[in-house]
Amino acid sequence: MFVYEKKLQYPVRIKNPNAALAKVIITQYGGPDGELGASLRYLSQRYEMPYPELKGILTDIGTEELGHLEMIGTIVHQLTRNLTVDQIKEAGFDTYFVDRTVGIYPQAASGTPWSAATMAVKGDPITDLMEDMGAEQKARTTYDNILRLSDDPDVNNVIRFLREREVVHFQRFGEALRILTDKLNQKNFYAINPAFDK
């Protein structure tokens, strides 16, 4: 069960509209390494984790990623509110605008809509945790790239916070993998796995 606190994990207060920057940042809403895929990946993977502490880590991080999704949506909303038609055209935001106006739609910066095909849920705890560590590094790299493109301090402060959380999640998944492999090694998981030993 989730408890929803009606405030963002980190405040988003962007003063200057910037449709070009919104086009880039939206990739963390619905792009291949974005927050929507991350939240659904972790909340789906938790069911096959064999130990409660691992389920707890996936639930905690999956829930936090939902909060990050909300933050990215807020950034894009604040960057695109009150745009003039000229600003929309100049930023090349017209192709998004014609389909979505300024509604927040899960897509990559390329315009590709979000797809569940961008997330992995294998049902094998080791495989899933390795995927999760890779996913957090890909998200961190995407935030690094956004920071390279943005000169807005109001945006950059939030993006730096989100980037930092990706690093923390990577570390937590690393801890989860160590817990898992220690427990599985005690059962000789790799040498003798009854599920595959015939």
Side-chain angles (χ1 to χ4, degrees):
M1 170 148 176
F2 304 115
V3 176
Y4 178 61
E5 188 175 346
K6 295 184 179 185
K7 69 175 190 174
L8 297 176
Q9 189 179 10
Y10 187 94
V12 178
R13 295 185 190 96
I14 298 166
K15 295 178 219 60
N16 302 313
N18 185 334
L21 192 52
K23 282 175 43 177
V24 171
I25 291 172
I26 202 158
T27 204
Q28 281 303 84
Y29 194 80
D33 305 311
E35 304 294 354
L36 177 59
S39 62
L40 293 176
R41 176 188 303 113
Y42 307 147
L43 293 173
S44 298
Q45 288 175 348
R46 66 190 171 144
Y47 294 103
E48 290 302 317
M49 284 295 149
Y51 304 107
E53 61 268 40
L54 301 179
K55 290 179 186 201
I57 289 171
L58 284 162
T59 302
D60 290 348
I61 296 175
T63 304
E64 184 177 349
E65 300 289 14
L66 288 171
H68 295 172
L69 181 70
E70 186 176 29
M71 290 170 65
I72 293 295
T74 302
I75 292 170
V76 172
H77 168 70
Q78 290 183 12
L79 285 170
T80 59
R81 68 178 176 217
N82 303 322
L83 291 172
T84 67
V85 172
D86 288 339
Q87 288 172 317
I88 290 167
K89 288 179 181 177
E90 287 168 16
F93 196 67
D94 50 345
T95 54
Y96 182 94
F97 182 83
V98 74
D99 290 331
R100 314 280 173 222
T101 316
V102 291
I104 309 302
Y105 179 75
Q107 71 175 45
S110 65
T112 305
W114 183 82
S115 168
T118 63
M119 56 178 255
V121 178
K122 192 68 174 175
D124 177 272
I126 293 174
T127 304
D128 283 346
L129 288 172
M130 293 295 291
E131 163 67 22
D132 299 344
M133 291 175 72
E136 293 297 323
Q137 288 302 305
K138 289 185 279 186
R140 180 203 42 85
T141 300
T142 303
Y143 282 126
D144 287 346
N145 292 338
I146 290 169
L147 288 168
R148 289 181 179 102
L149 297 172
S150 172
D151 61 359
D152 186 328
D154 295 335
V155 171
N156 292 354
N157 289 337
V158 183
I159 296 300
R160 281 190 190 96
F161 171 82
L162 291 166
R163 181 198 183 281
E164 182 181 298
R165 296 308 300 161
E166 304 299 345
V167 172
V168 170
H169 294 168
F170 174 80
Q171 293 168 339
R172 290 209 56 210
F173 285 133
E175 293 165 12
L177 185 60
R178 282 189 294 280
I179 291 167
L180 178 66
T181 53
D182 286 348
K183 290 184 177 204
L184 292 180
N185 286 339
Q186 292 169 8
K187 296 180 178 181
N188 214 4
F189 180 79
Y190 288 111
I192 303 168
N193 185 332
F196 303 110
D197 188 25
K198 294 186 181 186

